Amino acid sequence: MRHMHLYTSCRCKFLLPVMVLLACGTAMAQTPTYKVGRPPTAEELRTWDNLVGPDGKELPVGKGTAQEGAVIFAARCAVCHGKDGVGQWPFARLTGGVGTLNTANPIKTAASNMPYATTLFDFIHRAMPAWPFPRDLTANDSYALTAFILAKSGIIKDTDVMDKNSLVEVQMPNRHGFYPDPPQDKPDDKDGTWLPLWEHAPGAKPAAK
Amino acid sequence: MNSKMSDRRGFLKRSAALAGLAAFANGKALASVTPGLVTGVADTKLGVTPDEPTIQDLLYGGRSSYEKTIAIPSIGTLGATGLRTLTPLQDTIGVITPAPYHYLVQGDTHIPNIDPSKHTLIIHGMVDRPTVFTMEELKRLPSVSRVHFLECTGNSGLAHYKTLLQDLKKGRKDVSVIQGVHGRTSTSEWTGVLLSVLLKEVGVQKGATWFVAEGGDIQAELHAKSIPLAKGMDDVMIAYGQNGEAIRREQGYPIRLFCPGFQGVCSVKHVSSIKLVDKAYMMQREITAYTNLKPNGMASRYESQVGPKSLITFPSDAHKLPGTGFYELSGIAWCGRGKIARVEVTVDGGRTWKDANLQQPIFSKAWTRFRLPWTWNGAETVIASRCTNEFGELQSTMEGLAKLWGDDVTPHIPAAEIERWWANTNIAEFLNNPIQFWTVKTDGSVADATYAPLYKLPV
């Protein structure tokens, strides 16, 4: 992924004049008005272009298993999240809870709630461990830790290898546990303002006390 | 006569002090005129009372020593251990929240202190020209100042009421329903660059529909949030100003994303990166804590807009009326969509509603102050406000909210059932805008009458 971004930024330099010409011909609105700012360095792209979305296209090269993850988890994660990832509030509970969301005692964990395993990998790799400081895990570490949490929750096997291909294939138990997202991409027809969630709110009839 | 004498003595004392100061300046500091003079002034009390401020005190002044209003630590575990504070709504005046009163919901216990000369904002992903902006460059661009509220999405939730009860049981004295349950909202004048200006600079590519904002420093948790691009093109700003000064450190210094009308988690603090993408990115927080789970196990997500909402801030359960007679009822109303068009107030438990006066100008997606004259005859009564926005949308009741969210948490369900639902989970209900009823009792004390009945407590 890192190489690809470097390539993209290099290519842009050569193509820029062409793009500008094309832009002049087609979409004037896309021409910068104020011309402030500068292109990012390769280092800046490495630092910031690492969010992993649900299709996993940003996943880095690397791999890991739950067995490898168990060792890292004990050393780096258990202090907050508990030995088996069942840490107590305010630390997130990571494992278990699968099948409880529609019960009287729903247990929201990374395993029971996240619709995509990429979310788990992304947060571990980008923002964990919170103490002493994040972004301290290699891609292999993060794949292994993701595998550990998934295996602990019965979603994959202990020996399953997680990598950029297998991770996106993981069927999370709560993949279909969400209502369709409310419309996000079109403004309200009538007045051009944001389409409100509250259009389908009940007309609140003030209670006669 | 006496007061004139006293004024005269004060004048004489001040004159003497000034004369001394002049001598000091002349004798000691002429070699470097300005710095010496400033030092001299700073060391000298010019006034007549012992607690007189020095000029140094006035350079970033404080308030009268008689004023004691503070934001308070939040309730529950997070109040005790985390960096979370609640706005003192019961003491709010007008519509602007002074920065020290602004509520704070911090994800962890570290608040970055970022050197603005080293801070940059990168916009990348599905754009024609990935670009890095320095703070200096952002401030060169056309800016806007807008008055908007910010509100935590769990504000006014039953979960907070439950936590408040636990705190009260443990003997906590400084917290009330108005501040403890409702205090996660504030209104400020925010100044910055519209994100749409920056997006035009970088050239958004066809197919981009969302952006992910990421913020913090390496020791913070690097919160990331997906926001619809249409919202970004509408009124999202990169804010660097809050109420006429730089954004406070705890509010995201030197820049934060600000998404007017949307739940607070969208307004990413210390924003460093904006990546244009083609779908919601299912980031950790937005897909776990900030989804709205129903009893059937299904959850809704990416519902962000705060509904029409109001409450009476005076009198509230933080106050006690000293006696019968005239009082001005006052409160705030706000909405994540458009302006507040109407606020009605009842002083007879909902039998009749009167239009309150709205403070002008009314800002979109901002607190609107309402006021209504009232004479209390000493009898027990229930007061409340309800608001309507410019699109005719009316504030909900608790019962209406329960239906909206598909929860079986309704006023008819016993407290034990609600406890069962909330117990030992970190699940909270979101975007709560119930009408807040207050019972004014015969002794002038005021009690919550919206949440307490759910727990079968005396109102």
Side-chain angles (χ1 to χ4, degrees):
Chain A
M1 231 31 235
R2 289 177 182 181
H3 294 296
M4 189 178 148
H5 285 302
L6 281 172
Y7 172 68
T8 308
S9 76
C10 294
R11 188 180 55 177
C12 278
K13 275 182 198 155
F14 297 117
L15 288 184
L16 196 58
V18 182
M19 285 162 63
V20 169
L21 283 174
L22 285 173
C24 289
T26 54
M28 287 302 286
Q30 293 292 292
T31 312
T33 307
Y34 305 105
K35 301 183 180 66
V36 298
R38 58 169 173 77
T41 63
E43 175 62 27
E44 284 167 329
L45 280 174
R46 265 201 299 279
T47 303
W48 293 111
D49 198 2
N50 54 11
L51 296 164
V52 179
D55 55 16
K57 64 184 180 211
E58 300 92 346
L59 282 167
V61 173
K63 63 181 168 53
T65 64
Q67 289 160 335
E68 294 158 0
V71 180
I72 306 164
F73 194 89
R76 306 294 305 273
C77 317
V79 60
C80 293
H81 293 286
K83 189 164 79 70
D84 298 316
V86 291
Q88 300 231 319
W89 182 252
F91 302 110
R93 181 169 173 176
L94 304 172
T95 55
V98 173
T100 66
L101 295 184
N102 61 352
T103 68
N105 261 319
I107 302 169
K108 259 186 177 184
T109 71
S112 72
N113 187 67
M114 285 179 181
Y116 298 92
T118 49
T119 304
L120 190 50
F121 178 92
D122 171 79
F123 199 67
I124 292 171
H125 195 51
R126 193 170 51 76
M128 286 286 126
W131 184 88
F133 48 84
R135 299 199 178 193
D136 191 32
L137 298 167
T138 66
N140 286 353
D141 290 347
S142 297
Y143 279 116
L145 287 168
T146 306
F148 172 77
I149 291 163
L150 296 175
K152 265 279 169 217
S153 313
I155 298 168
I156 63 169
K157 291 201 282 286
D158 263 4
T159 49
D160 284 348
V161 178
M162 287 294 105
D163 61 21
K164 62 183 299 178
N165 297 316
S166 59
L167 190 74
V168 292
E169 297 299 323
V170 173
Q171 282 300 312
M172 296 296 277
N174 201 38
R175 170 71 63 88
H176 303 295
F178 295 89
Y179 291 107
D181 296 343
Q184 305 280 3
D185 56 353
K186 59 174 197 259
D188 188 294
D189 292 341
K190 289 175 294 206
D191 45 46
T193 62
W194 191 247
L195 189 70
L197 166 68
W198 294 90
E199 259 189 5
H200 46 86
K205 305 236 173 6
K209 290 285 291 188
Chain B
M1 192 68 184
N2 274 344
S3 97
K4 265 188 187 168
M5 292 279 284
S6 152
D7 281 349
R8 190 171 163 74
R9 284 199 202 101
F11 171 73
L12 289 173
K13 274 192 186 172
R14 279 194 294 275
S15 303
L18 279 171
L21 178 68
F24 176 83
N26 281 331
K28 202 172 174 182
L30 279 183
S32 58
V33 177
T34 311
L37 193 58
V38 167
T39 308
V41 171
D43 292 345
T44 308
K45 284 185 183 288
L46 300 179
V48 294
T49 61
D51 69 344
E52 209 74 40
T54 68
I55 196 162
Q56 281 299 332
D57 295 333
L58 296 173
L59 300 182
Y60 194 81
R63 58 183 172 174
S64 161
S65 60
Y66 293 103
E67 286 300 313
K68 304 296 184 198
T69 297
I70 50 169
I72 58 171
S74 191
I75 52 180
T77 315
L78 287 167
T81 62
L83 292 166
R84 300 188 174 207
T85 63
L86 302 165
T87 297
L89 296 182
Q90 66 275 18
D91 294 328
T92 49
I93 299 168
V95 298
I96 298 294
T97 309
Y101 294 163
H102 199 291
Y103 85 90
L104 178 64
V105 175
Q106 188 72 10
D108 60 16
T109 51
H110 165 70
I111 298 183
N113 193 19
I114 293 171
D115 178 349
S117 70
K118 298 192 173 85
H119 191 77
T120 55
L121 174 68
I122 179 171
I123 304 184
H124 58 120
M126 297 174 72
V127 299
D128 292 336
R129 297 169 292 277
T131 305
V132 173
F133 298 94
T134 62
M135 285 298 301
E136 185 266 335
E137 286 164 337
L138 289 172
K139 289 186 175 178
R140 280 165 61 188
L141 291 169
S143 60
V144 293
S145 287
R146 291 176 180 177
V147 176
H148 287 306
F149 76 85
L150 190 67
E151 182 169 13
C152 175
T153 194
N155 196 35
S156 311
L158 275 172
H160 288 312
Y161 182 72
K162 175 190 149 191
T163 310
L164 174 69
L165 289 185
Q166 290 167 351
D167 272 23
L168 295 176
K169 206 180 281 178
K170 286 178 197 158
R172 188 167 172 184
K173 301 275 189 237
D174 64 337
V175 67
S176 50
V177 167
I178 189 168
Q179 192 169 7
V181 176
H182 298 295
R184 291 157 206 81
T185 179
S186 306
T187 282
S188 305
E189 183 197 73
W190 300 96
T191 297
V193 187
L194 285 175
L195 183 59
S196 60
V197 169
L198 300 177
L199 292 178
K200 279 171 200 149
E201 286 298 289
V202 301
V204 176
Q205 289 177 349
K206 202 165 188 269
T209 50
W210 291 73
F211 68 93
V212 187
E214 190 180 4
D217 68 3
I218 200 69
Q219 286 175 313
E221 55 177 9
L222 298 158
H223 167 49
K225 181 76 183 79
S226 306
I227 317 274
L229 180 58
K231 178 68 175 171
M233 294 303 285
D234 180 13
D235 60 357
V236 174
M237 67 167 88
I238 303 293
Y240 47 76
Q242 178 185 2
N243 294 342
E245 62 179 350
I247 282 188
R248 292 286 169 113
R249 171 178 171 179
E250 66 274 18
Q251 291 299 330
Y253 185 84
I255 41 171
R256 82 178 302 167
L257 194 73
F258 194 88
C259 299
F262 271 28
Q263 53 181 204
V265 70
C266 298
S267 291
V268 178
K269 290 184 272 197
H270 319 284
V271 63
S272 302
S273 162
I274 287 175
K275 182 177 183 179
L276 280 283
V277 292
D278 60 356
K279 57 176 71 66
Y281 251 38
M282 309 284 158
M283 296 287 99
Q284 182 262 356
R285 187 163 288 167
E286 68 202 32
I287 210 62
T288 53
Y290 285 78
T291 58
N292 213 358
L293 185 67
K294 326 286 192 204
N296 68 0
M298 294 287 285
S300 53
R301 63 192 185 196
Y302 299 115
E303 291 168 315
S304 302
Q305 194 168 263
V306 177
K309 186 164 178 179
S310 74
L311 82 163
I312 295 175
T313 55
F314 178 87
S316 69
D317 72 326
H319 303 115
K320 185 171 183 186
L321 300 179
T324 58
F326 179 83
Y327 294 94
E328 181 181 72
L329 296 182
S330 176
I332 45 175
W334 65 102
C335 179
R337 185 183 186 223
K339 295 177 182 180
I340 291 298
R342 183 181 193 195
V343 178
E344 298 159 278
V345 170
T346 180
V347 294
D348 56 11
R351 276 189 290 280
T352 59
W353 295 81
K354 278 182 204 153
D355 277 4
N357 303 312
L358 304 186
Q359 177 177 310
Q360 303 290 334
I362 296 169
F363 300 106
S364 179
K365 302 167 191 174
W367 285 1
T368 297
R369 173 67 53 180
F370 64 85
R371 300 176 173 97
L372 189 74
W374 176 52
T375 301
W376 183 46
N377 62 10
E380 178 168 312
T381 189
V382 174
I383 61 173
S385 65
R386 67 182 185 197
C387 70
T388 310
N389 70 9
E390 62 180 305
F391 305 103
E393 293 159 340
L394 185 64
Q395 183 170 3
S396 295
T397 59
M398 191 62 92
E399 195 175 1
L401 270 177
K403 278 187 202 147
L404 172 67
W405 294 128
D407 288 341
D408 53 8
V409 184
T410 75
H412 312 298
I413 290 191
E417 290 292 297
I418 301 165
E419 291 283 350
R420 177 178 65 80
W421 176 249
W422 301 116
N424 300 318
T425 71
N426 59 355
I427 293 161
E429 76 280 35
F430 293 139
L431 301 169
N432 312 281
N433 64 342
I435 294 174
Q436 173 67 59
F437 293 94
W438 302 116
T439 303
V440 182
K441 298 178 179 177
T442 51
D443 67 353
S445 65
V446 181
D448 151 62
T450 288
Y451 297 84
L454 298 174
Y455 286 81
K456 294 201 185 306
L457 296 174
V459 177

